Amino acid sequence: MNKTSFSKGLDYVLEKGTNLEKWHAKQLLNIKEELPPHWASKQNPDGGWNSKEFNNTVSNMGSTSVTLMRLIFFKLQHLDEMNMTVDFLWNTQQNDGRWGENPKQYKDNPPEWNKPGDLKVEVWETANNLASLSALGYTNDRRVIKGIEWVESKEIESGRFPGYIHTTHAMAAVKFLQEEYEASEKYIEQSHQFLEQNKYKDWFDIMDVTWPLMLWSNARMSPKHPTVETYLSELISRKNEDGIWRSIYPNCDTQYTIEAISLLRNYRE
């Protein structure tokens, strides 16, 4: 990897990042080290992960789903913590195939994207979990198939789901891994339209670029796919002069900077 092109960003992560982010920055610099102690301090004994969005010790499905996606992206499939996370998902999947938030979190006023019992939340969390489980090789597992059927039953029109666009991003990855390429194209076209329609809006964040790209990278989609190329171009354009990818969300700059650098390494070098 050419350090000079990303040196400012990597230096920033090495200075300000979490233990896991610093470790991954060193990996990108070919500095081989063991994972630091306590890197998984937010993982609970049941295998789920706590949210940094609000104070609750109950395993949060959204945080668990995103953490699993990122651990796959960081190529940490071999870890016990990864196996524990997967076991947590199997143990919490509902009979109809969906996942959702534990109602015990209501008392702590979770953000809208983590609301227990909300269909919009359950759809994105289920789709995101299915993308990660498929990337780990569970494409033909009956539990994954049941989850896919549940998500597809909530489609409100061709390629669209209630709530968050993350469902669509994830389903593009799921269907690609299922080798159902026509269905994957239907969803990824919606992702493309979302980017073109919203990239200049104030709320559109670097998170809206790195998240789908990580899902598609985990699914091993080609960097030459037109939508992947479009998102990568948007990713490059959002790099600041100081080498950092800035987010509107607090305390997330190191996270999105290391993700952006890793994505460009994966896809462009």
Side-chain angles (χ1 to χ4, degrees), residues 61-243:
M61 186 56 67
S63 296
T64 300
S65 182
V66 174
T67 299
L68 181 60
M69 174 182 71
R70 288 177 174 140
L71 293 179
I72 295 170
F73 181 65
F74 287 167
K75 297 179 173 59
L76 296 174
Q77 289 92 325
H78 60 285
L79 297 179
D80 289 340
E81 289 86 353
M82 173 76 79
N83 295 330
M84 288 175 60
T85 306
V86 172
D87 287 342
F88 171 79
L89 293 188
W90 295 138
N91 291 332
T92 54
Q93 187 179 26
Q94 298 180 36
N95 290 335
D96 60 5
R98 82 179 81 180
W99 283 272
E101 294 294 348
N102 191 322
K104 292 180 180 179
Q105 296 176 105
Y106 267 126
K107 63 184 177 63
D108 289 295
N109 193 30
E112 64 179 43
W113 52 86
N114 281 160
K115 290 285 187 185
D118 189 319
L119 177 63
K120 300 187 297 297
V121 174
E122 292 176 341
V123 170
W124 87 252
E125 290 179 348
T126 299
N128 215 67
N129 288 343
L130 293 170
S132 290
L133 291 168
S134 297
L136 290 171
Y138 293 100
T139 51
N140 296 317
D141 190 289
R142 59 178 177 78
R143 296 164 292 187
V144 166
I145 300 302
K146 194 167 190 177
I148 292 172
E149 291 172 350
W150 182 84
V151 173
E152 291 182 318
S153 75
K154 304 307 174 185
E155 195 171 300
I156 53 179
E157 57 182 284
S158 181
R160 297 185 186 274
F161 296 93
Y164 305 99
I165 189 63
H166 306 74
T167 304
T168 302
H169 300 327
M171 288 304 289
V174 168
K175 287 298 184 177
F176 184 84
L177 287 163
Q178 293 284 332
E179 298 183 357
E180 297 181 22
Y181 300 121
E182 184 176 345
S184 179
E185 283 300 308
K186 177 183 71 173
Y187 294 126
I188 203 168
E189 175 57 28
Q190 295 292 345
S191 294
H192 190 186
Q193 292 178 19
F194 174 81
L195 175 64
E196 296 300 335
Q197 292 168 3
N198 296 295
K199 62 184 179 180
Y200 296 117
K201 295 180 180 177
D202 291 343
W203 55 262
F204 192 92
D205 188 61
I206 185 61
M207 178 269 292
D208 294 296
V209 183
T210 60
W211 191 321
L213 283 173
M214 283 194 294
L215 285 168
W216 302 336
S217 175
N218 289 350
R220 298 173 291 281
M221 292 178 68
S222 171
K224 295 182 180 180
H225 188 287
T227 298
V228 177
E229 283 192 325
T230 301
Y231 270 82
L232 284 169
S233 295
E234 184 66 21
L235 182 68
I236 292 169
S237 73
R238 287 177 176 262
K239 178 184 176 184
N240 285 266
E241 291 183 2
D242 59 6

Side-chain angles (χ1 to χ4, degrees), residues 33-49:
E33 289 186 359
E34 296 293 324
L35 276 165
H38 312 302
W39 72 270
S41 59
K42 285 190 172 293
Q43 187 171 32
N44 289 326
D46 64 3
W49 295 74

